[in-house]
């Protein structure tokens, strides 16, 4: 069945780069997503990548996709204290993209001043 | 600000009661999905509504039901509440191609 796995915790110093990793199982997923959740809040869509791409860059965010290994990563350059949050990786459910998402457990990013 | 609004923001119910949660989708979006997020977990897909019909369901029992209205707003109903139903309930709206799903702030349900 579908499963998305992430490491649970990452701690970095302000100004460093952060890399959050994710593995997924459904090879038919057409899109893969990164969401951010701050305490007590809903999910904010950060970025997404189409499955036929290897990389996508959006300002400080870089997404890398290794489809062969079913591995997705999110790199945040020049990490700031405001980036402290929980980051969720998600894949769309099934081969057609209809907005049904399977989420990982989330990676808590702690940014130290 | 996603344009997806949920009400209420917080709710306390007693085991065995019924609850209705509401969601207004982002303008132009005709698809609404509901998720349950237990403490410390990622969101779990409950079901999706498209044009007032259920369009896919996750691993949730029938006491979780929903509705979508002609204006694309939606309700999630949970009957016979159990303590394990305590969670953050998130609504997401998307266009039909589903490329981008935008979430509301959620309703925090506590069952005592």
């Amino acid at each position: 069945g579908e499963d998305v796995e992430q490491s649970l915790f990452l701690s970095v110093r302000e100004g460093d780069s952060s890399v959050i990793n994710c593995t997924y199982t459904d090879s038919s997923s057409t899109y893969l997503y990164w969401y951010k959740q701050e305490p007590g809040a809903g999910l904010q869509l950060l970025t997404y990548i189409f499955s036929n791409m290897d990389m996508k860059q959006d300002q400080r965010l870089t997404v890398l996709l290794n489809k062969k290994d079913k591995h997705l990563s999110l790199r945040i350059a020049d990490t700031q204290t405001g980036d402290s949050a929980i980051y969720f990786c998600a894949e769309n459910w099934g081969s057609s993209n209809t907005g049904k998402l399977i989420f990982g457990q989330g990676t808590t990013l702690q940014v130290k001043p | 600000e996603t344009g997806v609004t949920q009400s209420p923001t917080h709710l306390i119910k007693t085991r065995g009661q019924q609850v209705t949660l509401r969601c207004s989708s982002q303008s132009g979006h005709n698809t609404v999905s509901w998720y349950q997020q237990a403490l410390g977990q990622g969101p779990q897909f409950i079901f999706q509504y498209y044009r007032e019909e259920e369009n896919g369901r996750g691993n949730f029992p029938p006491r979780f039901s929903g509705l979508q209205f002609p204006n694309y707003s939606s309700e999630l109903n949970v009957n016979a509440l159990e303590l394990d139903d305590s969670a953050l309930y998130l609504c997401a709206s998307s266009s039909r191609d589903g490329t981008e799903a935008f979430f509301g702030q959620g309703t925090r349900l506590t069952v005592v």
Side-chain angles (χ1 to χ4, degrees), chain B residues 5-8 18-25 31-35 46-50 52-54 57 63-79 89-92 107:
Chain B
T5 58
Q6 293 187 241
S7 63
Q18 178 265 344
V19 69
T20 298
L21 310 181
R22 296 179 175 82
C23 172
S24 294
S25 60
T31 303
V32 173
S33 304
W34 285 92
Y35 294 81
I46 303 174
F47 44 55
Q48 183 184 82
Y49 277 83
Y50 169 64
E52 304 176 56
E53 297 283 333
E54 187 179 289
R57 187 179 186 93
R63 60 189 185 82
F64 286 78
S65 63
L67 282 174
Q68 188 179 31
F69 300 99
N71 66 355
Y72 304 131
S73 66
S74 177
E75 287 182 354
L76 164 66
N77 299 291
V78 187
N79 292 323
Y89 287 85
L90 295 161
C91 162
T107 294

Side-chain angles (χ1 to χ4, degrees), chain A residues 13-77:
Chain A
R13 291 239 173 250
E14 192 174 19
D16 287 350
S17 291
S18 307
V19 179
I20 301 171
N21 295 299
C22 168
T23 57
Y24 62 97
T25 56
D26 187 356
S27 58
S28 65
S29 290
T30 51
Y31 286 90
L32 294 130
Y33 299 84
W34 285 103
Y35 281 86
K36 175 183 179 183
Q37 187 175 38
E38 297 185 63
L43 300 178
Q44 175 193 353
L45 176 61
L46 287 178
T47 187
Y48 58 93
I49 188 168
F50 188 51
S51 57
N52 69 353
M53 297 170 65
D54 298 325
M55 185 181 85
K56 180 179 179 181
Q57 187 153 1
D58 184 359
Q59 300 182 340
R60 292 191 297 122
L61 305 179
T62 302
V63 178
L64 295 178
L65 175 60
N66 181 329
K67 198 172 180 182
K68 174 176 168 289
D69 294 337
K70 299 192 186 104
H71 183 266
L72 183 74
S73 68
L74 174 69
R75 178 177 180 269
I76 304 173

Side-chain angles (χ1 to χ4, degrees), chain A residues 31 33 35 37 40-43 45 48 88 93 97-101 103-105, chain B residues 33 35 37 40-43 45 48 55 57 88 97-101 103-105:
Chain A
Y31 286 90
Y33 299 84
Y35 281 86
Q37 187 175 38
L43 300 178
L45 176 61
Y48 58 93
F88 290 96
W93 183 26
N97 200 45
T98 55
K100 303 168 200 169
L101 301 174
F103 285 87
Q105 198 171 357
Chain B
S33 304
Y35 294 81
Q37 186 179 19
Q41 302 295 316
F45 175 73
Q48 183 184 82
N55 181 44
R57 187 179 186 93
L88 181 68
D97 73 3
T99 304
E100 295 178 323
F103 284 79
Q105 291 292 94

